[in-house]
Amino acid sequence: MTVDLAHYLTVSGLLFGVGISIALAKRNAIAVLMGIELMLNAVNLSFLSFSRFSGAFAIKDNPLDGHVFVVFVLTVAAAEAAVALALSVLIYRRRETVDLDRINLLRW
Amino acid sequence: MILGTVPEAVVWAIYLAPVASFVVIAALSRTARFQGTSEYAGRITIAAIGIAWLASLWALDSAIGNDGESLAFAPHTWATLFDLNVTVGVHLDGLSGIMVFVVTSVSLLVQIYSVGYMEGDRGVSRYFASMSLFTAAMLGLVLSSSLLQLFVHWELVGLASYLLIGFWFDRPPAAAAAKKAFIVTRFGDFAFLLAVVLIWSKTGLLDIAAINDLAVAGGIGAAVLTGFTLGLFSGAIGKSAQFPLHIWLPDAMEGPTPVSALIHAATMVVAGVYLIARFFPSFEAAPAQILDLVAYTGGFTALLAASLGIVQTDIKRVLAYSTISQIGYMVMALGVFGFVAAIFHLFTHAFFKALLFLGAGSVNHATGTFDMRRMGGLRGYMPITYWTFVIASLSLAGVFPLAGFWSKDEILLDAWKYEKPLFVVGALVAGMTALYMFRAIFMTFWGEYQGGEGSDDEHAEVHGEPHESPRSMALPLLILAVPAVIAGFFNLGGGFSHLVEGALPDELRHGPPDIYGGIVAVSLVMAFGGIGAAAAIYHAGRPSAADVRAKLGPLPRVVEAKYYLDFIAETLIVRWILNGVIQRAAQLVDTYIIDFAVDQFAESVRRAGDAMRRVEAGYVQGYTSLFLAGVVIAVVVIAVLGTGVLER
């Protein structure tokens, strides 16, 4: 059995589904961040797959576009993780919790 | 004509001087320098109305020089809105010339009198500001060249009268009287407004002279002219306190007495007579029934009010009913083609009625009451007030050769010529007038002093012996006594007729008045009969008032109850029909239809909000879930319908 685009996309979709489920369902900020990382990586996987199988879509000119995107996404994800974790640590110091439902000072 | 033709600016000054006085006093009364002081307000008002008086003399002089015909002052455009061109201008002819002279003269003397009368009252600056506005509004009304301009000032007169009648607004009767005056006259004003709209929509004219010219030329259909004149007449009925809208005037006595003098003599109530006179050519061109209606309304009012005047115990109310009665006389005169007679009576009446009111105020100043039963014997204490009051009463009663005799005689003559039943009414009213005036004199000035003081004191001070009033009050009495005697001579040679008739087109003029010996005799017999009856009953006591009362059966009780007219107006119409039936119906409609619809709408919005509130809970994760659901739905839709749906 050859592993073709559909398999990659299925894995990517499942990964995204798991990620968004975690991001939406968890109350813990760290867990939500982890879910977001999963979603980002699911997207990365799709990018790479499309790049790898670009011949199937007759996109000939720039097969490396997907790779470039992935590099950017990784960079942004790293930066986002750093900032978000720093915020979480600071909030934890102050409030002794990272429960998103209780971080509601700015809520209406 | 002594001076040159009056420039338009001077005519405007007649109107603008009191306006300026009103504005200046209103502005100054709140400044630190003048707060708590009051002398300045009186001085400014007297100065402004003095200027207006001088300017009105010049205007009157020019009107005389022009044979009473209209002086051509072009109107100025004030506002243009599509095809509605609103102009303002001054219209000076014999009629308005006489009117501005009367208004400024009486107002000037009333202001001088007020300085003494209102001394020590807390609201003096408010008083003089309102008085300035009142005078200005009346002068603006008289000088208006456009119907709309006239209507605006007509309403301003109403507003100023409201402010002045309710001057002592902390007294509930005064506040109620002010409201009553404003609302009752409003009934008439509404019809007046409809008349303005009607004539404008049918002819496109608002200029008074143009409307009259068109009406005389037959350019206005009978139906439109009937509606128009009826509307104007309704306005006049309200303002001039004619039956059935006369009920506000006696209550208006709650205002300060100088205000009553001004309302009754020169402003407000004569506005209605002036309105009919101003549009007299239109009234003549209208179907004949209109003038008949005017005549009989006036005659009926004159008779009704005169009978009511006989039973009053409050001296100001006697005068109030006397005014209604005399205004009824004027309206009746207009109805029997007595244009000149009506204006002439307005002219003479202004002086002696102002004098009577100022005299009544002087009496109140001395005794602290308006109740004639608590007066008596005052002629010894206050000779100036007594003699001027007697002169004014003789003039009002129509005794030869005082002013009232001449004007009343002209009215009776016109009534005799055109409408015999009204002549009988007029003669009867003349006798009743003499009776109630001399009843008032005998009760107030003769007999023993009854102690004065009552609940209706207009001054806070304690009264001891009655005393003559201060000079600023006595002086206007003396000055007014002069025209009360001589004002009637102005029409002996037909000069007054010539002047006033200049306002009419040629074919409506009658020329100088005739004098019929028979009518003079009737009028004098009635006058002296009334005086004699008053002397017999209220001075000699043979027969005594109680005997006369007993002889008349139930009649006195009906009259004392004001023919139940106040009952009909207040209980039947206001309380039962308006407050009862109409208000109840309106309330039902309001509660069960309008409120119900509004409430249901509000409730549905509230429910929708309640439902949607749950979505906007402030949880980012909740929003994201909805967003995800939206994406899933979109994807499913695209998957089912194909990518074509994106290309719309």
Side-chain angles (χ1 to χ4, degrees):
Chain A
M1 183 186 89
T2 50
V3 178
D4 59 15
L5 182 60
H7 297 95
Y8 285 103
L9 289 183
T10 309
V11 173
S12 168
L14 289 173
L15 208 52
F16 190 87
V18 171
I20 203 164
S21 307
I22 293 171
L24 293 183
K26 284 290 186 182
R27 293 288 177 262
N28 187 314
I30 308 292
V32 172
L33 281 173
M34 288 161 68
I36 292 171
E37 291 300 320
L38 273 183
M39 288 156 69
L40 286 167
N41 282 314
V43 174
N44 281 344
L45 187 56
S46 318
F47 275 132
L48 290 173
S49 327
F50 283 123
S51 187
R52 167 76 177 76
F53 291 96
S54 62
F57 299 99
I59 303 169
K60 299 280 186 242
D61 39 353
N62 269 318
L64 285 180
D65 276 359
H67 295 268
V68 175
F69 264 117
V70 169
V71 173
F72 273 105
V73 170
L74 282 176
T75 320
V76 171
E80 173 244 308
V83 172
L85 282 172
L87 285 173
S88 304
V89 170
L90 278 172
I91 287 171
Y92 186 77
R93 281 200 195 141
R94 228 164 226 277
R95 309 280 312 273
E96 298 210 336
T97 180
V98 284
D99 187 337
L100 288 176
D101 285 355
R102 299 184 54 195
I103 307 173
N104 56 1
L105 270 179
L106 288 179
R107 192 179 168 204
W108 46 73
Chain B
M1 186 152 89
I2 307 152
L3 300 158
T5 303
V6 65
E8 193 186 352
V10 172
V11 184
W12 276 103
I14 298 173
Y15 164 59
L16 291 176
V19 171
S21 157
F22 164 66
V23 173
V24 168
I25 295 172
L28 285 185
S29 64
R30 291 286 164 198
T31 57
R33 167 128 166 57
F34 291 103
Q35 201 141 32
T37 64
S38 56
E39 296 85 5
Y40 77 97
R43 286 186 197 140
I44 292 174
T45 308
I46 291 172
I49 293 176
I51 291 169
W53 182 69
L54 290 175
S56 78
L57 283 184
W58 193 356
L60 181 60
D61 181 59
S62 292
I64 293 169
N66 205 26
D67 288 330
E69 307 237 356
S70 175
L71 273 83
F73 296 126
H76 310 278
T77 298
W78 185 47
T80 304
L81 190 70
F82 304 110
D83 51 349
L84 173 63
N85 187 17
V86 181
T87 60
V88 293
V90 288
H91 185 90
L92 182 62
D93 56 14
L95 178 59
S96 53
I98 282 289
M99 287 297 293
V100 288
F101 172 70
V102 170
V103 173
T104 52
S105 310
V106 172
S107 179
L108 182 61
L109 291 168
V110 167
Q111 310 305 339
I112 294 171
Y113 178 91
S114 299
V115 170
Y117 192 82
M118 297 304 288
E119 200 176 358
D121 197 285
R122 278 189 304 129
V124 175
S125 37
R126 181 164 55 89
Y127 173 83
F128 279 109
S130 310
M131 283 296 240
S132 300
L133 178 66
F134 202 15
T135 309
M138 187 64 193
L139 290 168
L141 190 160
V142 168
L143 287 170
S144 291
S145 73
S146 138
L147 187 52
L148 208 58
Q149 188 188 355
L150 194 154
F151 183 73
V152 168
H153 289 102
W154 180 271
E155 295 294 346
L156 274 177
V157 168
L159 167 72
S161 70
Y162 170 80
L163 293 175
L164 285 166
I165 294 168
F167 178 72
W168 286 308
F169 53 80
D170 48 353
R171 296 183 189 172
K179 240 186 329 186
K180 188 170 177 184
F182 197 71
I183 294 169
V184 170
T185 53
R186 191 120 303 259
F187 280 97
D189 294 355
F190 185 63
F192 184 8
L193 180 60
L194 288 181
V196 175
V197 172
L198 175 73
I199 201 71
W200 179 73
S201 63
K202 292 294 177 189
T203 67
L205 293 174
L206 282 176
D207 188 81
I208 294 169
I211 293 171
N212 277 337
D213 289 348
L214 191 64
V216 170
I220 304 177
V224 174
L225 205 51
T226 303
F228 177 60
T229 47
L230 271 181
L232 293 183
F233 184 51
S234 305
I237 285 179
K239 258 318 176 257
S240 287
Q242 295 299 292
F243 178 83
L245 296 183
H246 65 280
I247 48 174
W248 67 267
L249 193 61
D251 287 25
M253 293 301 108
E254 291 295 339
T257 304
V259 172
S260 308
L262 199 53
I263 287 182
H264 288 249
T267 59
M268 190 87 181
V269 292
V270 297
V273 177
Y274 174 78
L275 182 71
I276 300 175
R278 182 88 277 174
F279 284 94
F280 195 68
S282 297
F283 275 88
E284 277 225 1
Q289 291 88 339
I290 298 284
L291 274 184
D292 286 349
L293 177 71
V294 172
Y296 278 94
T297 306
F300 182 67
T301 308
L303 196 59
L304 181 89
S307 68
L308 286 166
I310 298 174
V311 300
Q312 302 302 313
T313 54
D314 179 319
I315 187 167
K316 264 174 99 179
R317 280 180 186 262
V318 174
L319 298 178
Y321 282 112
S322 159
T323 301
I324 297 176
S325 172
Q326 296 302 309
I327 300 283
Y329 236 73
M330 297 174 207
V331 171
M332 178 178 96
L334 286 166
V336 292
F337 305 99
F339 176 80
V340 173
I343 300 302
F344 193 42
H345 196 56
L346 190 161
F347 176 71
T348 57
H349 173 260
F351 296 113
F352 55 69
K353 187 49 67 65
L355 177 52
L356 287 171
F357 267 104
L358 297 186
S362 177
V363 166
N364 172 264
H365 199 78
T367 64
T369 184
F370 285 116
D371 191 337
M372 294 190 292
R373 289 167 301 189
R374 307 184 61 83
M375 299 176 185
L378 292 178
R379 93 197 129 108
Y381 297 106
M382 31 199 333
I384 299 178
T385 307
Y386 170 63
W387 281 110
T388 50
F389 203 89
V390 168
I391 289 171
S393 301
L394 286 171
S395 191
L396 173 57
V399 172
F400 180 85
L402 302 177
F405 165 76
W406 303 100
S407 54
K408 191 167 284 189
D409 211 57
E410 283 188 30
I411 293 178
L412 289 175
L413 178 60
D414 282 318
W416 177 256
K417 275 191 203 155
Y418 295 103
E419 203 73 42
K420 298 270 186 317
L422 285 177
F423 172 77
V424 178
V425 169
L428 262 178
V429 171
M432 288 156 86
T433 306
L435 173 59
Y436 64 66
M437 278 325 297
F438 278 82
R439 170 178 176 267
I441 285 179
F442 287 121
M443 286 180 81
T444 308
F445 293 103
W446 292 65
E448 295 295 310
Y449 184 50
Q450 302 294 321
E453 305 267 346
S455 55
D456 51 355
D457 189 5
E458 291 191 359
H459 300 276
E461 69 211 62
V462 178
H463 292 276
E465 280 276 276
H467 52 87
E468 185 57 271
S469 296
R471 208 174 336 147
S472 72
M473 288 166 68
L475 185 69
L477 295 179
L478 290 171
I479 297 176
L480 275 171
V482 176
V485 175
I486 63 161
F489 301 136
F490 291 126
N491 206 19
L492 275 185
F496 191 94
S497 297
H498 185 65
L499 174 63
V500 174
E501 283 196 327
L504 294 180
D506 291 335
E507 61 271 27
L508 298 182
R509 296 178 189 173
H510 294 308
D514 324 314
I515 292 184
Y516 285 14
I519 286 170
V520 173
V522 168
S523 137
L524 283 179
V525 163
M526 291 312 289
F528 284 112
I531 295 172
I537 299 172
Y538 297 99
H539 181 54
R542 279 187 306 243
S544 77
D547 287 348
V548 177
R549 203 187 147 82
K551 285 249 170 60
L552 288 175
L555 188 63
R557 251 177 303 136
V558 175
V559 180
E560 272 163 21
K562 303 179 196 169
Y563 297 103
Y564 305 104
L565 285 174
D566 273 30
F567 169 79
I568 290 171
E570 281 170 20
T571 308
L572 211 65
I573 296 180
V574 175
R575 199 160 305 151
W576 291 355
I577 297 184
L578 283 183
N579 285 3
V581 180
I582 295 179
Q583 188 199 347
R584 191 88 196 104
Q587 198 180 4
L588 287 177
V589 170
D590 191 52
T591 311
Y592 292 105
I593 298 178
I594 297 173
D595 271 12
F596 181 76
V598 172
D599 285 352
Q600 285 304 302
F601 183 68
E603 179 65 13
S604 67
V605 170
R606 204 191 64 74
R607 279 204 209 104
D610 196 45
M612 289 166 72
R613 180 168 70 93
R614 293 163 205 284
V615 176
E616 301 278 337
Y619 293 111
V620 178
Q621 287 172 325
Y623 300 152
T624 318
S625 308
L626 284 174
F627 168 65
L628 180 67
V631 170
V632 169
I633 291 169
V635 166
V636 169
V637 167
I638 291 168
V640 172
L641 300 178
T643 51
V645 292
L646 296 177
E647 282 158 20
R648 290 281 156 81

